Amino acid sequence: MSDATEAGGGARGEQPGDGAGRRVRVVLVDDHRMFRTGVRAEIGVTERTGVEVVGEAADVDQAVTVIKSSRPEVVLLDVHLPGGGGVEVLRRCAPLMSDAQDPVRFLALSVSDAAEDVIGVIRGGARGYVTKTITGTDLVASIFRVQEGDAVFSPRLAGFVLDAFASTDAPPVDEDLDRLTQREREVLRLIARGYAYKEIAKQLFISVKTVESHVSAVLRKLQLSNRHELTRWATARRLV
């Protein structure tokens, strides 16, 4: 990491260890072992920073396994990973992000500052995006902000997000979508992505019968006839 300060709003000047007694459990996901080692050395001295690194992963499958087994509070996620990239990790960990009691939150940490990478992971559910030029001090501050539910971006990247969501064709408020519960929305997205009922049940840790009930409720509320219409409906709203 360089000496550049990149974390957005409020992170500047906050030193590792500020707010004594705070703790956050973190998983590092990056396919470069030396980078993971450097990040762990920079932020992972728990007594000083409050950050406890509870796991590491180098590809999508490893990441999903480690995240599900360790249930960290924050995941530092690289965008480009073997096995489908950071977006695939987010997709497969969607149920953990939506956990009302103990949500797992994601902060993208990448060398890329391309708009498409930023927008992709934010649409996937990440709470923020910072580049690898961020300092250790600001990275620790960003991790704690994400743990608390804030959104964090490197300054120039925030504009990408604002522009992307301002230019979307979807209406600001979708009354049809608002009729659905959070769980029904999760089932809707997985159905639209082509998942079978058994696969959805496994992803969401529910029974196949419960999946069927949610699909029936979604079709009824949206006044659709089958999963093909549902897929078209979801695709038109960029929910897939």
Side-chain angles (χ1 to χ4, degrees):
M1 297 183 195
S2 79
D3 291 332
T5 299
E6 289 254 347
R12 290 176 175 82
E14 190 168 347
Q15 297 299 316
D18 280 0
R22 294 191 304 171
R23 290 290 184 269
V24 58
R25 301 173 70 253
V26 172
V27 163
L28 307 178
V29 180
D30 193 286
D31 60 339
H32 292 96
R33 182 178 58 81
M34 290 185 65
F35 179 77
R36 296 198 311 273
T37 300
V39 172
R40 181 186 281 269
E42 184 84 12
I43 72 172
V45 182
T46 308
E47 295 77 12
R48 177 172 60 86
T49 65
V51 175
E52 179 186 2
V53 178
V54 297
E56 297 183 14
D59 59 36
V60 169
D61 288 340
Q62 287 180 12
V64 173
T65 298
V66 171
I67 293 165
K68 288 184 176 179
S69 64
S70 63
R71 290 300 294 262
E73 292 158 288
V74 177
V75 177
L76 289 180
L77 180 68
D78 194 13
V79 174
H80 300 294
L81 292 168
V87 171
E88 178 65 11
V89 175
L90 291 165
R91 184 185 69 78
R92 290 168 61 178
C93 291
L96 302 182
M97 287 189 283
S98 61
D99 188 313
Q101 299 298 320
D102 297 298
V104 177
R105 296 188 167 106
F106 288 78
L107 173 61
L109 175 62
S110 178
V111 69
S112 171
D113 61 1
E116 59 268 24
D117 287 335
V118 179
I119 302 308
V121 295
I122 297 305
R123 288 193 184 280
R127 295 293 304 175
Y129 195 116
V130 294
T131 60
K132 289 182 178 179
T133 55
I134 191 170
T135 65
T137 298
D138 287 333
L139 181 57
V140 170
S142 297
I143 289 169
F144 276 107
R145 288 180 59 197
V146 168
Q147 178 199 28
E148 294 163 1
D150 289 345
V152 179
F153 299 94
S154 295
R156 70 180 298 268
L157 305 186
F160 294 157
V161 178
L162 293 174
D163 290 345
F165 285 93
S167 64
T168 180
D169 294 332
V173 177
D174 191 321
E175 294 182 359
D176 289 332
L177 190 61
D178 284 347
R179 295 190 184 101
L180 305 183
T181 66
Q182 181 62 39
R183 180 64 86 187
E184 287 168 350
R185 294 185 192 192
E186 292 170 355
V187 171
L188 163 65
R189 288 187 177 94
L190 292 174
I191 284 286
R193 289 169 180 162
Y195 279 63
Y197 286 2
K198 287 183 179 179
E199 294 173 321
I200 295 173
K202 184 177 180 181
Q203 285 279 333
L204 301 181
F205 305 101
I206 57 180
S207 68
V208 173
K209 186 174 181 179
T210 300
V211 174
E212 293 173 349
S213 297
H214 285 314
V215 172
S216 296
V218 171
L219 292 174
R220 183 181 70 255
K221 290 180 180 181
L222 300 181
Q223 298 181 0
L224 301 174
S225 301
N226 53 57
R227 65 182 298 163
H228 300 295
E229 291 184 1
L230 187 153
T231 299
R232 288 197 296 271
W233 187 93
T235 301
R237 286 162 173 77
R238 301 182 182 181
L239 300 177
V240 181

